[in-house]
């Protein structure tokens, strides 16, 4: 599902092909031939670095191992150097995700025991439902939508299991409290609670993080708690990590994935971190939208209109379709297309201070110097 007429060079195009979660045997054969043709021309150091930056290294390793892409029937030697780096990354991530699932089950069981409204977002939910293998998607934390009051109650419930609100110490052995200034800044400016952390002894995990989100669509303005309660009222039961839980409805999940993607692509904080654009986020959106039926397309479009988040959703869908043609229904893209499309070429909209990019999306996606183009990008304080 990769666009062979795309503006990307052969390096970037090869990475897109290698990280295709829908890779079929026929496509794998074409990719194998491509790797042979480009042997000696591809910079595998660049490819591995970019795959890690975009959180698709395990996915690349899975495809390389599953289809034995490093072997061509007409070549004596491997066409992929350092293939063990790729396949080992997949295997390590698979084991890591299995260990995380056990911890996430504890968190979900605690939430269920309190009987409070909540909805699981992203993470293990996507890994288990939308991806063909548990080791493909790299998970960092478990993310729950709930009100501030209920998040504090669940945080207290998790304390006996070793979770504390704070940041991991430099040696990784304990959780340190956030400063008063950081707590105040986040409470006034961020729609997420500061994370709850727990050091972990598993060599593949190191730590487990629980994040609480209080408003999925902050750009919609005041009334965040009412919007959150409406999302939670539409949540549906699911079994994930082997335990009962609650997740967003299909329509809300797609909106959430799109708004989350644009929020991080647009915000100066994530630009400063270099995590504003990642292939893994676009793949999440593609995996979700590619399954939409015509009836679901209409439901998603109605929800986007209801929430007033057309620009954010359009940004996510537009560039997802550019990267992975055929994954976003055309009717959905047409339905959410805003009259003003400056969101595609500017950043800082959600902060109320838009500024233009001077490079194209394709140039920025694989650039390591995006922050230089956004000199006003800065980190949120976490001390």
């Amino acid at each position: 599902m990769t666009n062979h007429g795309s503006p990307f060079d052969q390096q970037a195009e090869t990475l897109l092909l290698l990280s295709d979660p829908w890779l079929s045997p026929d496509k794998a054969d074409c990719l194998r031939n491509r790797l042979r043709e480009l042997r000696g021309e591809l910079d595998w150091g660049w490819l591995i670095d970019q795959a890690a930056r975009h959180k698709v290294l395990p996915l690349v390793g899975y495809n390389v191992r599953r289809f034995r892409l490093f072997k061509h029937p007409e070549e004596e030697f491997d066409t992929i150097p350092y293939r063990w780096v790729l396949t080992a990354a997949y295997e390590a991530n698979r084991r890591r995700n299995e260990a995380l699932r056990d911890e996430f089950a504890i968190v979900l069981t605690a939430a269920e025991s309190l009987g409070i409204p909540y909805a699981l977002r992203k993470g293990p939910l996507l890994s288990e439902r939308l991806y063909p293998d548990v080791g493909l998607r790299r998970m960092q934390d478990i993310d729950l939508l709930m009100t501030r009051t209920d998040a504090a109650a669940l945080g207290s419930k998790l304390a006996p299991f070793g979770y504390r609100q704070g940041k991991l110490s430099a040696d990784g052995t304990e959780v340190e409290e956030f400063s008063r200034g950081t707590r105040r800044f986040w409470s006034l400016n961020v729609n997420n609670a500061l994370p709850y952390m727990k050091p972990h002894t598993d060599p593949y995990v190191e730590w487990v993080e629980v994040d609480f989100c209080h408003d999925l669509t902050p750009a919609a303005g005041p009334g965040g708690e009412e919007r959150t309660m409406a999302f939670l009222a539409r949540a549906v039961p699911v079994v994930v990590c082997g335990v009962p839980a609650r997740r967003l409805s299909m329509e809300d999940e797609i909106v959430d994935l799109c708004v989350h993607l644009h929020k991080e692509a647009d915000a100066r904080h994530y630009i400063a971190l270099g995590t504003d654009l990642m292939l893994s986020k676009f793949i999440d959106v593609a995996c979700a939208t590619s399954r939409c039926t015509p009836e679901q397309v209409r439901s998603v479009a109605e929800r986007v209109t209801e929430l007033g988040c057309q620009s954010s959703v359009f940004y996510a869908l537009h560039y997802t379709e550019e990267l992975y043609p055929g994954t976003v229904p055309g009717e959905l893209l047409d339905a959410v297309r805003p009259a003003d499309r400056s969101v595609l070429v500017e950043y800082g909209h959600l902060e109320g201070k838009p500024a233009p990019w001077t490079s194209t999306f394709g140039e920025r996606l694989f650039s390591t110097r995006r922050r230089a183009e956004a000199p006003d990008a800065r980190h949120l304080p976490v001390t």
Side-chain angles (χ1 to χ4, degrees):
M1 294 186 181
T2 306
N3 185 1
H4 297 287
S6 75
F8 303 112
D9 62 22
Q10 65 183 18
Q11 291 268 124
E13 186 71 11
T14 300
L15 178 57
L16 290 171
L17 289 165
L18 285 167
S19 59
D20 186 346
W22 310 275
L23 196 63
S24 65
D26 288 344
K27 289 182 180 179
D29 286 339
C30 292
L31 179 53
R32 186 179 294 104
N33 289 332
R34 177 190 180 94
L35 294 174
R36 184 196 184 204
E37 293 168 3
L38 295 177
R39 185 173 183 175
E41 297 182 38
L42 294 174
D43 182 347
W44 282 95
W46 182 92
L47 284 165
I48 291 173
D49 173 71
Q50 287 289 336
R53 289 176 184 271
H54 286 274
K55 290 189 177 181
V56 295
L57 193 59
L59 179 50
V60 172
Y62 172 80
N63 282 335
V64 167
R65 188 181 80 164
R66 181 187 178 199
F67 295 102
R68 291 182 62 81
L69 294 174
F70 53 89
K71 282 295 183 185
H72 193 282
E74 298 180 19
E75 289 287 340
E76 179 181 358
F77 301 104
D78 290 356
T79 56
I80 299 179
Y82 326 120
R83 65 180 173 90
W84 59 270
V85 174
L86 301 171
T87 55
Y90 157 71
E91 181 61 29
N93 194 59
R94 183 183 64 80
R95 296 186 185 184
R96 182 176 186 272
N97 284 355
E98 289 174 350
L100 283 171
R101 286 180 77 248
D102 294 338
E103 280 292 335
F104 293 165
I106 293 173
V107 175
L108 294 171
T109 300
E112 287 287 303
S113 71
L114 287 175
I116 54 178
Y118 76 95
L120 175 63
R121 306 170 61 220
K122 301 176 291 163
L125 191 62
L126 301 182
S127 180
E128 292 188 16
R129 290 174 47 248
L130 302 184
Y131 286 75
D133 185 279
V134 71
L136 299 191
R137 190 182 187 278
R138 182 166 176 81
M139 297 188 293
Q140 187 64 45
D141 53 40
I142 183 169
D143 199 323
L144 303 173
L145 174 69
M146 56 175 54
T147 65
R148 294 182 185 276
T149 300
D150 288 341
L154 181 53
S156 298
K157 182 80 172 180
L158 293 174
F161 297 100
Y163 289 93
R164 289 182 58 200
Q165 193 172 37
K167 58 181 181 177
L168 201 66
S169 62
D171 62 8
T173 61
E174 59 182 354
V175 177
E176 301 173 345
E177 290 188 1
F178 291 112
S179 69
R180 181 178 297 178
T182 294
R183 287 178 178 274
R184 177 173 175 76
F185 180 90
W186 275 61
S187 66
L188 295 176
N189 298 282
V190 183
N191 290 295
N192 290 61
L194 282 160
Y196 286 74
M197 307 285 287
K198 173 184 176 179
H200 206 281
T201 57
D202 189 293
Y204 293 101
V205 175
E206 187 179 0
W207 79 87
V208 184
E209 182 175 331
V210 182
D211 285 339
F212 296 116
C213 175
H214 307 307
D215 189 358
L216 296 185
T217 54
E225 184 158 324
E226 289 183 11
R227 284 194 300 276
T228 295
M229 293 307 297
F231 277 113
L232 296 179
R234 295 190 293 264
V236 296
V238 66
V239 174
V240 64
C241 299
V243 299
R246 305 280 296 178
R247 71 171 182 88
L248 296 170
S249 69
M250 181 280 301
E251 296 88 350
D252 290 339
E253 179 175 72
I254 289 177
V255 169
D256 182 29
L257 289 173
C258 291
V259 170
H260 174 74
L261 184 155
H262 178 240
K263 179 186 76 172
E264 298 197 350
D266 186 74
R268 289 169 170 82
H269 169 65
Y270 293 101
I271 295 170
L273 291 175
T275 60
D276 49 317
L277 295 178
M278 286 197 287
L279 286 178
S280 58
K281 299 171 191 172
F282 292 98
I283 291 173
D284 284 345
V285 173
C287 284
T289 57
S290 63
R291 300 182 176 209
C292 279
T293 65
E295 182 179 348
Q296 290 172 332
V297 165
R298 289 190 291 272
S299 297
V300 173
E302 290 171 2
R303 187 59 42 80
V304 171
T305 300
E306 173 191 334
L307 294 169
C309 54
Q310 288 93 338
S311 291
S312 289
V313 173
F314 176 69
Y315 176 97
L317 296 182
H318 173 86
Y319 284 125
T320 296
E321 179 64 13
E322 181 173 306
L323 288 167
Y324 303 104
T327 60
V328 178
E331 301 88 346
L332 178 57
L333 197 53
D334 290 340
V336 302
R337 184 176 283 109
D340 179 1
R341 300 171 199 171
S342 60
V343 67
L344 297 178
V345 294
E346 295 176 342
Y347 67 93
H349 287 84
L350 300 181
E351 299 160 314
K353 299 178 181 178
W357 290 108
T358 58
S359 61
T360 67
F361 173 79
E363 292 169 337
R364 291 195 307 279
L365 184 63
F366 297 108
S367 171
T368 58
R369 295 183 54 79
R370 290 194 293 274
R371 184 175 182 180
E373 195 180 334
D376 54 350
R378 65 185 181 91
H379 299 293
L380 293 176
V382 183
T383 59

